[in-house]
Every structure is written in C-alpha cells, then in structure tokens.
Amino acid sequence: MSSLPEIKDHQQSEEKKNEVNDANHNNAVISSYWGITRPKVRREDGTEWPWNCFMPWDSYRADVSIDVTKHHTPKSLTDKVAFRSVKFLRVLSDLYFKERYGCHAMMLETIAAVPGMVGGMLLHLKSLRKFQHSGGWIKALLEEAENERMHLMTMVELVKPSWHERLLIFTAQGVFFNAFFVFYLLSPKAAHRFVGYLEEEAVISYTQHLDAIESGKVENVPAPAIAIDYWRLPKDATLKDVVTVIRADEAHHRDVNHFASDIHHQGKELKEAPAPIGYH
Ligand SMILES: [Fe+2]
Ligand SMILES: [Fe+2]
C-alpha cells in the first residue's frame, strides 16, 4: 500500500509532467545545454512565426499561371508503358475513391512524396560513389518530396484518415517505396516518365476537386492555417485557394519529371542539364 508522502510525490511529478507538456504545446523555448535555440522568427506583418516544421523562407507564392492542360504524348515504348501503367492505376483509384475527393487527395499525397525522395537519395549516393556533382538535381528532387509532404500535411488537416486507410497507406508505402527504388535503379528515364504521368493525373484529380467545390458538392471550408503560411495565402483563403495552389505545384512536378525523362531520352545524364531548384 502506498504511503501518503508517496502519493503526494506522485501527484507533484504528474503536475510537473503536465507543466512540461503545456510548455511544449505552447511552443515555449526549452533551454538546451547544447546551445540549440530557435531564434524568434516573424512573418512579414510582424506577427510571430508559429511553425517549426518550415520557415518563412521555405514558403512561396505558387505560380498558378502554369498550363494545367499540358500533356506529354507518349512516343517511345518506355513512354507508352509508363502512360498505360499510370492509366491502369487511375482506374483502380477511381473505383476505390469514387467522389471522396479529400480522401483521394490525402492518399495520393502519401504516395506522391516518395519518388522525389527515392530519386534524390539515389542521385546522392551516385554523387558519393562517383565523386561527381549532381548539377543540383539532388536538391531539386528532395524539394519536390518536401513539397508533396506539405501537401499531405495540409490535406490531413481537412481529412482525418480512418484506421483502415492508415493500414492501406502503410501497406502501399511498403510496396511502392521498394518497387520505385528498384524501378529508378533500373531505368531513371522510365521512372521520371512514370512520375510525369502520375503528376498529370494529380492535376486532373485536383481539377475535379475544384469543380466539386465550385458546384457546391464539396464545402468550400476555410483554408488550414499551415496552408495560409506555406503558400502565403490571404488570411481568409478557402479550400478552393488551397486546391488551386496544390494543382499548380503538381503541374510543376509534371514538367520537372518529364524534363528529367527527356534528358535521359537524349542519352544524357541529369547533371548535364540545369536542375529546376526552387521551381514552383
Ligand atoms: Fe502533391
Ligand atoms: Fe506532385
């Protein structure tokens, strides 16, 4: 049986734990023996920057003037196989998601953030092995992966995944990461073309999402706070604004990946062409 002082000690330590949790929650700066502190960062309007996951210099205004109808006509056998594979996956995903646009977007982003990371990682390893510069392509592909992950962080504010969706994501990631890793090792040319077509489908999906918002099928809710800061949107931005900027991002990824595949099609390596760093 516990004695009274023990119970009191336990209560005090619980209170202390709660205080620490509150401090973490309130973004209080935790003092560090290692001298690691985050300097106070402010928005352009002088208000305090609330995010640790990205900084104001990572945020940008999306170029929404990009052509969202552009399509790469498959020419080579590689192109045709990549195009048909993506179209087949599209049929499967349409059967599964039907008109659940938010859920579709969230699941899509868990996959879309993989290729840039795999491509960037493999180019990084190649640079180490061959003592070669990458021409900026490591950074460009990792930027793409990060941008896709921010799409996911935005979408998850709007759609809460169920346990079976989480299980599906878990399984899909295990399969897709490993399959894409081998795919990129065997043929970066085909892998980038495949991603180019995936991005074309992402543009189509977000266009359908926008149509559903405009027709009132999907409620045009206020934009999540993270999206307002990441894309420097107005404070009263809505879901429609968010989907518009995400669609513009996807169109940029489409161009980057088709461009990368074109470089390989010309018998060249990526490092021989300027990498689209900071291309939004
Ligand atoms: Fe995305
Ligand atoms: Fe994308």
Side-chain angles (χ1 to χ4, degrees):
M1 228 168 95
S2 303
S3 64
L4 209 58
E6 271 176 355
I7 291 171
K8 212 175 164 191
D9 279 355
H10 178 72
Q11 276 174 347
Q12 277 173 348
S13 76
E14 278 303 304
E15 275 166 18
K16 199 146 202 165
K17 244 191 240 169
N18 289 341
E19 272 171 29
V20 172
N21 284 343
D22 282 352
N24 285 339
H25 198 253
N26 294 334
N27 277 342
V29 177
I30 298 158
S31 66
S32 164
Y33 167 74
W34 307 105
I36 298 170
T37 52
R38 203 199 82 179
K40 279 245 180 298
V41 181
R42 299 197 175 275
R43 292 190 183 94
E44 277 170 3
D45 64 6
T47 53
E48 201 177 315
W49 185 257
W51 311 102
N52 283 328
C53 54
F54 70 104
M55 289 290 130
W57 46 90
D58 301 314
S59 69
Y60 61 96
R61 281 193 183 85
D63 172 17
V64 292
S65 69
I66 192 164
D67 184 354
V68 292
T69 62
K70 237 174 173 177
H71 164 63
H72 177 274
T73 309
K75 293 175 204 111
S76 67
L77 180 65
T78 313
D79 292 356
K80 285 173 187 159
V81 172
F83 182 65
R84 285 286 140 218
S85 313
V86 170
K87 281 292 176 195
F88 174 69
L89 291 174
R90 174 81 207 201
V91 172
L92 293 185
S93 88
D94 281 349
L95 279 174
Y96 181 77
F97 293 108
K98 298 193 171 75
E99 291 194 330
R100 292 179 297 146
Y101 299 99
C103 184
H104 185 179
M106 182 197 62
M107 301 283 265
L108 181 91
E109 297 300 353
T110 68
I111 292 295
V114 172
M117 182 57 67
V118 170
M121 177 182 69
L122 286 173
L123 291 181
H124 176 79
L125 295 175
K126 187 177 180 183
S127 166
L128 303 182
R129 276 197 318 274
K130 299 199 166 186
F131 312 100
Q132 282 175 351
H133 290 284
S134 76
W137 279 91
I138 299 169
K139 195 172 169 66
L141 294 183
L142 293 182
E143 269 182 1
E144 181 191 300
E146 175 63 5
N147 185 237
E148 294 285 20
R149 202 179 60 80
M150 288 302 287
H151 293 173
L152 179 65
M153 294 299 106
T154 298
M155 279 301 156
V156 85
E157 292 291 320
L158 300 160
V159 188
K160 296 289 169 227
S162 62
W163 69 265
H164 51 89
E165 282 159 358
R166 283 176 187 269
L167 186 67
L168 183 64
I169 291 164
F170 193 82
T171 314
Q173 187 179 88
V175 173
F176 186 69
F177 176 86
N178 288 292
F180 193 80
F181 177 79
V182 175
F183 188 21
Y184 200 97
L185 272 180
L186 294 176
S187 174
K189 174 172 76 178
H192 280 295
R193 187 65 80 213
F194 176 82
V195 179
Y197 287 129
L198 268 188
E199 300 290 353
E200 286 187 17
E201 290 303 321
V203 171
I204 293 169
S205 295
Y206 282 116
T207 301
Q208 291 171 345
H209 200 157
L210 277 177
D211 291 345
I213 296 168
E214 270 161 22
S215 69
K217 253 195 234 173
V218 170
E219 194 189 343
N220 192 19
V221 294
I226 193 166
I228 291 175
D229 279 327
Y230 186 65
W231 284 281
R232 300 185 198 168
L233 295 171
K235 283 197 172 68
D236 59 351
T238 61
L239 177 62
K240 189 180 165 190
D241 302 309
V242 174
V243 175
T244 304
V245 291
I246 293 182
R247 182 177 65 166
D249 286 349
E250 307 299 9
H252 285 82
H253 303 159
R254 170 200 68 197
D255 295 355
V256 169
N257 282 282
H258 281 319
F259 175 49
S261 185
D262 287 351
I263 296 166
H264 283 294
H265 266 89
Q266 289 164 29
K268 295 199 159 66
E269 287 193 62
L270 292 188
K271 65 182 171 67
E272 294 176 70
I277 296 173
Y279 180 68
H280 294 298

